[in-house]
């Protein structure tokens, strides 16, 4: 178990990333989801994750334009007291066309978005409510904090955080009494020391998105792999650095090959080793690998049994990756 920063909320050391179970949706005419999904399989994956001790579920209102939250409602029915639910706000979308249409971080929108997420999730409170706009203006921080503190006072949320890769924004948000976490990109191929420093300084949890480098660290993709165009990795937007033109980026495949033997030591799969690296990197980390099948739940859940890598292995990886 780990603690979400100053909130005191206890979660499993590895979470369940629920972006993929939202199914297809688009942004600017391009795919923003991970392709078609089987809702029954998604529910079974959630149940298997619970069986294996995963209790932290991270979603967003925009994933599948609400569908991910609805699937979680179905999967967690009758088990709400066993889990910690995180979701996100800030995007505007059309559920009929499954299209992201813009952003809105006004107080009125945040209040509406929170109540809509509560309804879709079938719960009376959200444990961790996260701003989903990574580059939201710093001058809006005080207003955002005031609105989120209002939601805390009303019992609708327990704590809040920001999904951003900017330490300056995190430090500004940390002024909020119930700010508890930052969600940021972090994996063995892309270290984030400045983000860990700001988490240590302000007593925040480090919730790790992309812990498997968008699937590259699953070991399923090689130089000849090609992702389908209905997968966000297949179209490879500019921020999708691990894949380019739907194929694994050669520079990241080379880094992966360099550390593969260490990550797979001790009977771990590649994914379990990558998660073990994050668990060893800091006691504040909570990786949230994407899960949409029972098999993925079992593999990622297995990282809890293997535990963190050791200090010597961390040092070896830093040397191999020349950092």
């Amino acid at each position: 178990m780990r603690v979400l920063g100053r909130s005191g909320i206890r979660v499993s050391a590895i979470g369940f990333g629920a972006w993929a179970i939202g199914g297809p949706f688009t942004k600017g005419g391009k795919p923003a989801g991970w392709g078609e999904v089987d809702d029954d399989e998604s529910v079974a994956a959630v149940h298997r994750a619970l069986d294996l001790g995963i209790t932290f579920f991270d979603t967003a209102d925009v994933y599948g334009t609400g569908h991910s939250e609805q699937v979680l409602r179905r999967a967690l029915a009758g088990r709400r007291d066993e889990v910690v639910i995180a979701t996100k706000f800030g995007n505007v979308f059309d559920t009929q066309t499954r299209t992201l249409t813009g952003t809105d971080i006004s107080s009125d929108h945040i209040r509406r978005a929170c109540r809509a997420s509560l309804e879709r999730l079938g719960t009376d409170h959200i444990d961790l409510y996260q701003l989903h706009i990574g580059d939201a203006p710093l001058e809006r921080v005080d207003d955002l904090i005031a609105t989120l503190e209002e939601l805390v006072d009303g019992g609708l949320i327990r704590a809040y955080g920001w999904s951003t890769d900017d330490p300056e924004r995190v430090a500004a948000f940390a002024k909020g009494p119930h700010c508890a976490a930052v969600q940021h990109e972090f994996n063995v191929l892309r270290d984030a020391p400045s983000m860990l420093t700001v988490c240590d300084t302000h007593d925040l949890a480090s919730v790790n998105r992309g812990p498997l480098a968008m699937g590259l660290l699953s070991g399923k993709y090689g130089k000849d792999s090609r992702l389908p165009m209905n997968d966000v990795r297949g179209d490879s937007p500019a921020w999708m650095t691990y894949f380019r033109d739907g194929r694994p980026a050669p520079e990241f495949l080379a880094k992966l090959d360099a550390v593969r033997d260490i990550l797979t030591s001790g009977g771990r799969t590649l994914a379990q080793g990558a998660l073990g690296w994050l668990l060893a990197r800091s006691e504040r980390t909570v990786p949230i690998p994407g899960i949409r099948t029972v098999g993925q739940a079992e593999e990622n859940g297995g990282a809890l049994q293997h535990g963190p890598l050791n200090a010597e292995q961390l040092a070896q990886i830093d040397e191999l990756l020349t950092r």
Side-chain angles (χ1 to χ4, degrees), residues 89-267:
F89 66 92
N91 287 295
V92 182
F93 47 87
D94 184 328
T95 57
Q96 297 301 311
T97 60
R98 285 199 166 206
T99 302
L100 193 156
T101 58
T103 62
D104 190 343
I105 57 172
S106 67
S107 295
D108 285 345
H109 174 77
I110 294 169
R111 295 185 192 103
R112 289 194 304 271
C114 181
R115 293 189 180 277
S117 285
L118 289 169
E119 174 64 27
R120 285 190 292 266
L121 288 163
T123 183
D124 61 357
H125 70 279
I126 293 162
D127 298 294
L128 180 66
Y129 202 37
Q130 302 160 104
L131 173 60
H132 207 177
I133 311 303
D135 60 353
L138 276 168
E139 57 266 27
R140 300 292 299 275
V141 163
D142 288 346
D143 290 340
L144 286 162
I145 290 173
T147 302
L148 292 164
E149 288 292 331
E150 174 190 312
L151 294 178
V152 173
D153 291 342
L156 300 182
I157 68 174
R158 296 174 68 192
Y160 51 85
W162 196 339
S163 179
T164 181
D165 295 307
D166 179 12
E168 183 181 5
R169 284 176 163 81
V170 178
F173 216 44
K175 295 183 298 184
H178 291 88
C179 181
V182 54
Q183 183 169 146
H184 62 101
E185 184 178 21
F186 197 13
N187 60 63
V188 66
L189 304 180
R190 180 165 281 160
D191 201 1
S194 60
M195 296 301 285
L196 288 183
T197 297
V198 77
C199 287
D200 286 338
T201 300
H202 298 285
D203 192 13
L204 304 176
S206 162
V207 179
N208 313 139
R209 71 174 128 79
L212 300 182
M214 305 300 287
L216 192 65
L217 285 162
S218 69
K220 293 189 296 184
Y221 305 108
K223 62 182 180 62
D224 296 323
S225 299
R226 181 68 169 88
L227 277 296
M229 290 301 290
N230 67 345
D231 186 312
V232 65
R233 298 167 296 179
D235 197 88
S236 299
W239 56 266
M240 182 65 67
T241 55
Y242 306 108
F243 292 82
R244 193 158 52 243
D245 298 324
R247 298 183 184 280
E251 63 271 28
F252 282 106
L253 282 177
K255 290 181 178 183
L256 171 56
D257 286 341
V259 298
R260 185 187 300 271
D261 287 347
I262 298 174
L263 295 180
T264 55
S265 63

Side-chain angles (χ1 to χ4, degrees), residues 21-93:
I21 67 172
F25 66 110
T26 61
K27 176 183 179 181
K30 295 186 176 182
W34 295 63
E36 297 294 335
V37 290
D38 178 336
D39 289 347
D40 290 339
E41 179 70 14
S42 299
V43 170
V46 170
H47 292 167
R48 185 64 181 133
L50 284 166
D51 292 342
L52 294 167
I54 294 174
T55 61
F56 181 50
F57 294 84
D58 178 87
T59 185
D61 57 2
V62 75
Y63 294 162
T65 60
H67 190 66
S68 175
E69 291 182 328
Q70 292 169 329
V71 172
L72 281 180
R73 173 179 183 155
R74 175 184 161 194
L76 298 174
R79 305 187 71 170
R80 178 64 180 92
D81 292 343
E82 301 175 35
V83 301
V84 174
I85 296 176
T87 192
K88 308 180 194 74
F89 66 92
N91 287 295
V92 182
F93 47 87

